[in-house]
Amino acid sequence: MDELLAADDFDLVVVGAPTPDHATIATQTLERGLATVADKPLAVRGAEALALVELAERRGVPLTVFQNRRWDGDFLTVRKLVEAGAFGDVWRFESRFEWSSTRPRPQWKQETSGVDGGGVAYDLGAHLIDQAVQLFGLVESYYGELDRHRPGAVNDDDSFIALTHASGVRSHLAMSSMVAQRGFRYRVLGSDAAFTKWGLDPQEPQLASGMSPLDEGFGVEPAEAWGKLGRDTDAEPVPTERGGYREFYARLATALRGSGPLPVDPRDALVAINIIESLHAR
């Protein structure tokens, strides 16, 4: 970091280091007056995250958090349906991010305890809680199960978090790296209709395959992957909105030029961090 900061010939730093290092590095970049993007979660502890936000505000330095899954196509679809009133009164929002992988995990993920920022709650829960809050607002109460199944595991690999929003909606969020069969990605239950969607947003595998975000097919899901809206006997496919992670950086560029807000308010990140930290402490 000392060598990097000594170069002093750039305007923006993206902190993609292991989660436990986010707060230390971001503190250094903000103190140098450098606009900073921190990967989620912004920090492990709520107090650390709040200190970063207050440092950025005090210094007048832009700070934002890479909550890229606000631009998942399936999330954008759910958001559009909620805002259009397609469900009537929403009763329950169910969101899952599950997989089973035999690939070796990075050393820091393998060896960092859950309470210190390892595990799926900090990794995926930071996304799922953020999405739920974006859809349904303030969280009044919550409950969680942070479990570990891998032999010798020091952090959670199979977790569940339930939120009760001030709006009355309940969010049930599941995250696991240990499932033998994946469940649905989203299920939204309401007084008039429900929506069920299977499969993960395609942008990450598209990027891994070498596809450019500028490709006209980037972020586009095939029709067979679309979710269905309605009732059991009368559910119709709903085209998935095009996903666009690059929108985060387009908005960031606009903000840094003084023409708009940051893509993610860093104070938003405090909600998930405080919930996950509290669940680990119970």
Side-chain angles (χ1 to χ4, degrees), residues 136-160:
F136 304 113
L138 182 69
V139 176
E140 284 193 335
S141 61
Y142 54 89
Y143 160 81
E145 302 165 2
L146 308 184
D147 296 327
R148 59 185 75 171
H149 300 303
R150 288 172 289 113
V154 299
N155 54 48
D156 56 303
D157 49 37
D158 182 18
S159 294
F160 171 79

Side-chain angles (χ1 to χ4, degrees), residues 148-226:
R148 59 185 75 171
H149 300 303
R150 288 172 289 113
V154 299
N155 54 48
D156 56 303
D157 49 37
D158 182 18
S159 294
F160 171 79
I161 298 173
L163 312 175
T164 299
H165 300 268
S167 61
V169 177
R170 295 188 188 273
S171 292
H172 290 180
L173 314 175
M175 57 227 74
S176 178
S177 61
M178 300 292 290
V179 296
Q181 293 186 17
R182 297 186 184 194
F184 52 77
R185 174 67 183 89
Y186 290 113
R187 189 168 73 144
V188 187
L189 303 177
S191 58
D192 296 341
F195 175 77
T196 304
K197 171 74 172 66
W198 295 75
L200 299 177
D201 178 271
Q203 292 174 86
E204 191 172 317
Q206 286 175 339
L207 288 168
S209 74
M211 181 183 287
S212 168
L214 301 178
D215 191 300
E216 65 180 24
F218 184 80
V220 176
E221 273 198 333
E224 58 267 25
W226 295 349

Side-chain angles (χ1 to χ4, degrees), residues 11 17 19-20 24 43 51 70 87 90 122 131 136 148-149 188 195 200 206 213 225 228 244 246:
D11 305 303
T19 297
T24 300
R70 292 188 184 187
F87 305 106
V90 176
Y122 273 113
Q131 288 184 335
F136 304 113
R148 59 185 75 171
H149 300 303
V188 187
F195 175 77
L200 299 177
Q206 286 175 339
K228 290 188 176 182
R246 65 179 181 167

Side-chain angles (χ1 to χ4, degrees), residues 21-234:
D21 297 328
H22 288 183
T24 300
I25 296 174
T27 297
Q28 294 179 68
T29 60
L30 292 171
E31 287 178 341
R32 290 290 295 268
L34 290 166
T36 300
V37 174
D39 195 12
K40 57 77 213 168
L42 174 58
V44 177
R45 318 269 185 247
E48 293 174 335
L50 179 59
L52 289 173
V53 172
E54 291 178 341
L55 173 61
E57 292 174 348
R58 191 164 60 248
R59 292 293 190 92
V61 181
L63 169 67
T64 189
V65 185
F66 191 55
Q67 299 284 172
N68 62 303
R69 293 197 176 277
R70 292 188 184 187
W71 289 273
D72 276 354
D74 45 19
F75 173 71
L76 295 173
T77 304
V78 171
R79 186 169 201 164
K80 183 177 181 179
L81 293 172
V82 170
E83 291 175 349
F87 305 106
D89 295 326
V90 176
W91 295 334
R92 187 162 76 241
F93 171 62
E94 299 177 9
S95 175
R96 299 171 178 268
F97 205 111
E98 302 174 327
W99 79 100
S100 180
S101 175
T102 58
R103 291 182 301 174
R105 303 170 76 233
Q107 186 175 356
W108 80 266
K109 287 190 175 183
Q110 188 83 7
E111 298 178 358
T112 302
S113 68
V115 73
D116 290 323
V120 294
Y122 273 113
D123 188 15
L124 300 175
H127 280 309
L128 299 188
I129 294 171
D130 181 73
Q131 288 184 335
V133 171
Q134 287 296 300
L135 290 173
F136 304 113
L138 182 69
V139 176
E140 284 193 335
S141 61
Y142 54 89
Y143 160 81
E145 302 165 2
L146 308 184
D147 296 327
R148 59 185 75 171
H149 300 303
R150 288 172 289 113
V154 299
N155 54 48
D156 56 303
D157 49 37
D158 182 18
S159 294
F160 171 79
I161 298 173
L163 312 175
T164 299
H165 300 268
S167 61
V169 177
R170 295 188 188 273
S171 292
H172 290 180
L173 314 175
M175 57 227 74
S176 178
S177 61
M178 300 292 290
V179 296
Q181 293 186 17
R182 297 186 184 194
F184 52 77
R185 174 67 183 89
Y186 290 113
R187 189 168 73 144
V188 187
L189 303 177
S191 58
D192 296 341
F195 175 77
T196 304
K197 171 74 172 66
W198 295 75
L200 299 177
D201 178 271
Q203 292 174 86
E204 191 172 317
Q206 286 175 339
L207 288 168
S209 74
M211 181 183 287
S212 168
L214 301 178
D215 191 300
E216 65 180 24
F218 184 80
V220 176
E221 273 198 333
E224 58 267 25
W226 295 349
K228 290 188 176 182
L229 174 69
R231 295 178 177 271
D232 277 338
T233 57
D234 188 25

